[in-house]
Amino acid sequence: MPDLNIIGVPQSTYVRVVRMAAEEKGVPYAFDPQPPHSDPVTAVHPFGKVPVMRHGDVELCESRAIASYIDNTFDGPALMPKEPAAAARAEQWISIVNTIMDQSLVRRYFLAGYVFPQREGREPDATVISEVMPDVERQLSVIEDSLAKSDYLSGDGFSLADINLMPILFYLKGTSEAGARIDNSETLTKYFERNVARPSFAATMPPT
Ligand SMILES: N[C@@H](CCC(=O)N[C@@H](CS)C(=O)NCC(=O)O)C(=O)O
């Protein structure tokens, strides 16, 4: 039984990020697929959000903190660039994705537009989708502009910034509007295909 325990539903983009971090480092971990606000989660996260992590006496919540702990505790390839400007650029992207893009791309567009209606046997919510689409378009364009200058978000090779974005792009690819926006962009398509091929991505595929 591995010492590192990652807790949280596999469908969560944030849970996938920390699992990908462990996979990229080559760290064995036990995965406990617990929903938000379940007892094992609230025992660690004061607001019941996933992921949470246990490693011996260490218990942590928040994906960025957990990924940082995994990166700094275990051997294996570094997940953050060493060069200060590239490291700061990776942090900048993680912050933008987690504080701005997650809200519109995941919560409003993907979950409210597609997942929640479909769970109730309804069609995707066209009103929600059309309201959020300007934000989706703008945010994908911002990512595209950055990737037009560099193959990776930090500008210095694959990093946690790319790990942090890929689970979101994966969900968007399966939708009509954002999926078409990605497919019509050579830059976004190349980026997606480059990173989707990583074993850490295949190993953390959410159930359908
Ligand atoms: N800032 C947190 C966000 C985690 C988060 O929002 N997780 C979602 C699942 S993707 C969750 O637990 N939602 C339940 C809730 O907000 O009550 C992190 O980076 O770990």
Side-chain angles (χ1 to χ4, degrees):
M1 182 72 157
D3 293 342
L4 178 65
N5 195 0
I6 295 174
I7 302 163
V9 277
Q11 293 87 353
S12 158
T13 52
Y14 288 110
V15 171
R16 192 171 190 186
V17 167
V18 300
R19 293 179 69 202
M20 283 181 70
E23 297 281 347
E24 289 283 341
K25 295 293 280 189
V27 187
Y29 63 96
F31 180 54
D32 188 1
Q34 297 283 343
H37 306 289
S38 57
D39 289 348
V41 174
T42 52
V44 181
H45 198 305
F47 301 105
K49 290 177 188 278
V50 293
V52 301
M53 180 216 89
R54 289 183 183 280
H55 180 233
D57 292 341
V58 181
E59 52 179 40
L60 284 172
C61 60
E62 292 291 307
S63 60
R64 181 64 189 94
I66 296 170
S68 171
Y69 178 82
I70 291 172
D71 195 19
N72 295 325
T73 302
F74 299 100
D75 290 337
L79 301 181
M80 290 294 285
K82 290 280 171 268
E83 197 268 313
R89 254 193 313 274
E91 291 291 2
Q92 168 193 283
W93 274 109
I94 292 167
S95 182
I96 286 175
V97 168
N98 290 357
T99 61
I100 300 171
M101 295 186 173
D102 170 72
Q103 276 307 313
S104 31
L105 300 181
V106 180
R107 312 289 134 195
R108 289 164 61 208
Y109 175 71
F110 182 64
L111 291 177
Y114 279 86
V115 174
F116 297 153
Q118 282 170 349
R119 245 184 230 167
E120 293 167 4
R122 293 188 284 118
E123 291 297 310
D125 190 323
T127 307
V128 167
I129 292 170
S130 68
E131 278 171 9
V132 75
M133 267 323 282
D135 290 344
V136 172
E137 295 274 1
R138 162 128 173 76
Q139 291 174 14
L140 286 175
S141 294
V142 166
I143 295 168
E144 183 181 42
D145 289 349
S146 173
L147 293 172
K149 296 180 216 127
S150 160
D151 285 350
Y152 296 98
L153 286 176
S154 78
D156 191 29
F158 182 78
S159 76
L160 186 60
D162 305 294
I163 292 177
N164 198 58
L165 177 63
M166 276 301 290
I168 297 178
L169 286 188
F170 172 74
Y171 281 145
L172 298 185
K173 273 278 285 178
T175 66
S176 305
E177 307 78 7
R181 175 68 182 81
I182 295 169
D183 291 346
N184 291 333
S185 161
E186 197 183 329
T187 302
L188 291 175
T189 299
K190 276 194 185 153
Y191 176 78
F192 185 79
E193 283 174 359
R194 190 178 309 126
N195 295 317
V196 94
R198 296 185 83 88
S200 66
F201 201 76
T204 56
M205 198 55 80
T208 46

